[in-house]
Amino acid sequence: MAIARKLAYNVIFNSALKVTSTVVLSLLLVRLITGYLGQEGFGKYATVLAFFSFFSAISDLGLGPVTAREIAKDGSDEGKILGNVVGLRLVSSALLITIAPLVVLFFDYPIEVKWGIIIVACASFFSSLSLVMNGVFQKRIAMDRVAMVEFIGKLIQVSLIACIVKFDLGFFPIVLSVLVALAFNITTVYLISRKFIQFSLRFDFSFWKAFLKESLPMGATALITFAYFKTDTILLSLIQSSADVGIYNVAYKIIENLVFFPAMLAGLILPLLARYFVSDKQKFTEIADKTFKVFVVIVLPVVLGTMFLAQDIVRIISGPEFDMSASVLRILALSLACIFFGHYFNMILIVGHAQKKLMQALLFVAVFNVSLNLFLVSRYSYFGAATAAVLTEFMVVVLTGMLSYRKLGFFPSFSGLWKVVFSAVVMGATLYILADASFVIAGGLAVLVYLGCLWMTRAVSSSEVMSLFSKENEEALEPPIV
């Protein structure tokens, strides 16, 4: 299959599966768990998942994105890289799992929450290992296989949760389902990867030292990113009630399940940009500009739809018990736009080997976020946490955009974007007029209006999108089969 068609196929296939697994199935999970556990119980579950993010960030070490970048290079020794990176991941995760029980001693949580935190410490190993293995599939434009595995893993978790709810098995098995699903994912991905490459564990300490020199700035970035993504939930769990944590996290879970696309698209485009950044700066700029335009086309309707339809979305996801989450969701919708473009500029800076500058910027953001949450959460609970999230994500975009321009000499072009903005304004007006209509009618008509305006104004042409997957990129991306 030609590279152009493989790229297009991967984007379409991944999008379809991600919409199903990351959005539909994940939100079905939220529906099942919130209906079963209620505000208090879901708040405890959200607290456990916040620590899962914490442990994942600690053990990350920046290995995932740097591994993807290094094995994408011509002539790279994939077996040596992967063997050493997996060995390093194994050691770091073993240390983490050892110290996890000590962490829970510092917090006055119920016993089920403490046990849940220990379980997700183990689950973080499987999650982080999957990120490392993704590089094998990114290089070969075969992320459709990973997407299918993640879909099946999510389906397994949904099935487990449904059985847990039906037989009233309680809180502990719900947390255990996370571990089971992630263990399935990495086992299956590893077995599939053997078609492309076979490797064995390596413990080359000189390699580790050199690799960590490159990856640790990204690892610190992951830890810093945790600070401004999950500090709000942990602070809420310490300062406010579990019910407040539950209300906030219903809205936050909805946002989390809407940001899969920029991360997926960035993962697919990153290897291509990495090649052209060195060999053809003009082509790099062209692809980066078109990717930015695609981001804008996606983010505007998603944010507008979330803001106007927040009440209906929350009731579909969690029922009337969580109605207060709708107001939180409207605030968080603003952060959603910033998260999109934060992903974009992070991708640009990684491609440009500007991880250290990125880390410094995000460290400042993390300190800002923690300070702001300490002030706002104690006074305004989940509304304060949502406000802090918006201001934090906005600062990320500003700082990373400035770094991209100052350090790499790149800033995306805004040419022709007024047509996209106009289409979004018309969509927003449609949603306002249809405020009393049902969710399906209002949402469906608004999307049709948006797409119609894009078509009439010729805001985005099919040839413009497909040029991201043109045959010109075939030679740049064609990998050797090991």
Side-chain angles (χ1 to χ4, degrees):
M1 185 184 291
I3 295 299
R5 283 183 293 156
K6 285 179 71 176
L7 272 169
Y9 163 77
N10 267 261
V11 170
I12 295 170
F13 187 84
N14 285 10
S15 298
L17 277 185
K18 285 289 186 179
V19 167
T20 305
S21 63
T22 305
V23 178
V24 177
L25 293 182
S26 292
L27 293 179
L28 177 58
L29 275 178
V30 174
R31 177 66 181 183
L32 288 170
I33 295 171
T34 53
Y36 179 56
L37 297 179
Q39 290 182 1
E40 289 279 341
F42 185 69
K44 293 176 182 178
Y45 177 72
T47 300
V48 169
L49 290 188
F51 278 93
F52 170 71
S53 297
F54 172 65
F55 292 132
S56 297
I58 289 179
S59 64
D60 181 82
L61 302 177
L63 298 178
V66 176
T67 300
R69 187 189 73 194
E70 292 302 310
I71 66 175
K73 294 179 179 178
D74 291 326
S76 62
D77 187 344
E78 291 183 72
K80 178 180 179 181
I81 294 171
L82 287 171
N84 275 290
V85 171
V86 173
L88 179 56
R89 174 71 75 198
L90 185 64
V91 171
S92 65
S93 296
L95 290 173
L96 176 66
I97 293 170
T98 301
I99 66 172
L102 301 177
V103 174
V104 299
L105 294 177
F106 291 97
F107 300 101
D108 186 24
Y109 288 134
I111 189 64
E112 63 267 28
V113 174
K114 291 185 176 183
W115 275 110
I117 291 172
I118 294 173
I119 291 172
V120 296
C122 300
S124 67
F125 166 67
F126 299 118
S127 175
S128 58
L129 199 57
S130 294
L131 293 177
V132 169
M133 294 301 301
N134 281 354
V136 175
F137 299 92
Q138 286 177 0
K139 178 175 181 177
R140 292 166 174 82
I141 319 174
M143 287 299 289
D144 56 313
R145 292 165 173 79
V146 177
M148 178 58 77
V149 171
E150 291 177 350
F151 168 74
I152 297 173
K154 187 66 70 174
L155 198 59
I156 290 172
Q157 189 182 7
V158 170
S159 301
L160 288 173
I161 295 295
C163 291
I164 291 166
V165 171
K166 180 178 180 179
F167 296 104
D168 191 21
L169 299 179
F171 180 84
F172 185 79
I174 288 179
V175 177
L176 197 59
S177 71
V178 177
L179 177 64
V180 173
L182 290 174
F184 165 82
N185 286 359
I186 185 55
T187 301
T188 309
V189 165
Y190 170 73
L191 293 174
I192 295 173
S193 73
R194 292 174 65 82
K195 175 183 177 181
F196 302 118
I197 181 173
Q198 297 187 26
F199 64 92
S200 57
L201 287 177
R202 297 193 183 191
F203 299 88
D204 184 341
F205 296 106
S206 60
F207 178 93
W208 288 10
K209 182 179 179 181
F211 202 86
L212 286 171
K213 186 176 180 180
E214 285 291 316
S215 69
L216 279 179
M218 286 305 301
T221 298
L223 188 57
I224 294 165
T225 301
F226 156 79
Y228 69 77
F229 267 120
K230 290 298 181 181
T231 298
D232 46 10
T233 294
I234 292 179
L235 285 176
L236 270 172
S237 71
L238 295 172
I239 299 173
Q240 305 290 348
S241 68
S242 293
D244 282 21
V245 177
I247 289 170
Y248 177 72
N249 273 273
V250 162
Y252 202 88
K253 281 294 178 185
I254 294 169
I255 295 298
E256 280 186 337
N257 285 294
L258 290 173
V259 299
F260 75 94
F261 198 85
M264 181 194 70
L265 186 58
L268 290 170
I269 299 297
L270 187 146
L272 184 61
L273 288 176
R275 297 285 181 89
Y276 282 129
F277 183 80
V278 176
S279 62
D280 189 340
K281 286 295 179 65
Q282 183 177 349
K283 192 69 176 177
F284 164 82
T285 301
E286 177 187 336
I287 295 173
D289 281 341
K290 289 176 180 178
T291 303
F292 179 78
K293 191 172 187 179
V294 170
F295 273 40
V296 175
V297 169
I298 295 169
V299 73
L300 290 180
V302 171
V303 171
L304 284 171
T306 303
M307 293 186 72
F308 278 98
L309 302 173
Q311 189 74 58
D312 290 328
I313 293 171
V314 167
R315 290 201 170 188
I316 291 171
I317 300 304
S318 299
E321 183 182 355
F322 289 86
D323 273 354
M324 284 301 297
S325 297
S327 298
V328 179
L329 181 58
R330 291 189 181 95
I331 300 173
L332 288 176
L334 298 175
S335 73
L336 181 61
C338 299
I339 292 172
F340 265 70
F341 297 113
H343 272 290
Y344 175 82
F345 285 117
N346 282 355
M347 174 187 68
I348 297 296
L349 292 171
I350 291 171
V351 166
H353 293 257
Q355 301 99 304
K356 291 182 180 179
K357 292 296 181 183
L358 176 60
M359 179 190 68
Q360 292 168 5
L362 294 182
L363 177 59
F364 174 78
V365 171
V367 173
F368 170 79
N369 176 263
V370 173
S371 302
L372 196 59
N373 269 296
L374 284 170
F375 176 77
L376 293 177
V377 167
S378 60
R379 291 166 175 78
Y380 307 107
S381 189
Y382 38 77
F383 290 120
T387 302
V390 173
L391 295 176
T392 299
E393 296 300 341
F394 178 72
M395 182 171 288
V396 170
V397 175
V398 171
L399 293 179
T400 53
M402 289 173 58
L403 278 175
S404 176
Y405 179 73
R406 292 178 59 185
K407 299 300 177 183
L408 307 180
F410 171 79
F411 198 78
S413 170
F414 287 77
S415 176
L417 289 183
W418 69 267
K419 297 176 182 179
V420 182
V421 174
F422 170 77
S423 302
V425 170
V426 176
M427 175 187 173
T430 303
L431 287 169
Y432 179 78
I433 293 170
L434 297 175
D436 295 327
S438 70
F439 173 80
V440 174
I441 292 175
L445 286 177
V447 170
L448 290 176
V449 166
Y450 180 68
L451 294 176
C453 287
L454 289 178
W455 177 76
M456 287 188 295
T457 60
R458 297 182 179 180
V460 182
S461 66
S462 58
S463 60
E464 192 173 24
V465 175
M466 288 307 299
S467 67
L468 289 172
F469 319 118
S470 69
K471 292 184 179 180
E472 297 175 27
N473 300 324
E474 183 166 346
E475 185 176 344
L477 279 176
E478 188 68 60
I481 300 301
V482 179

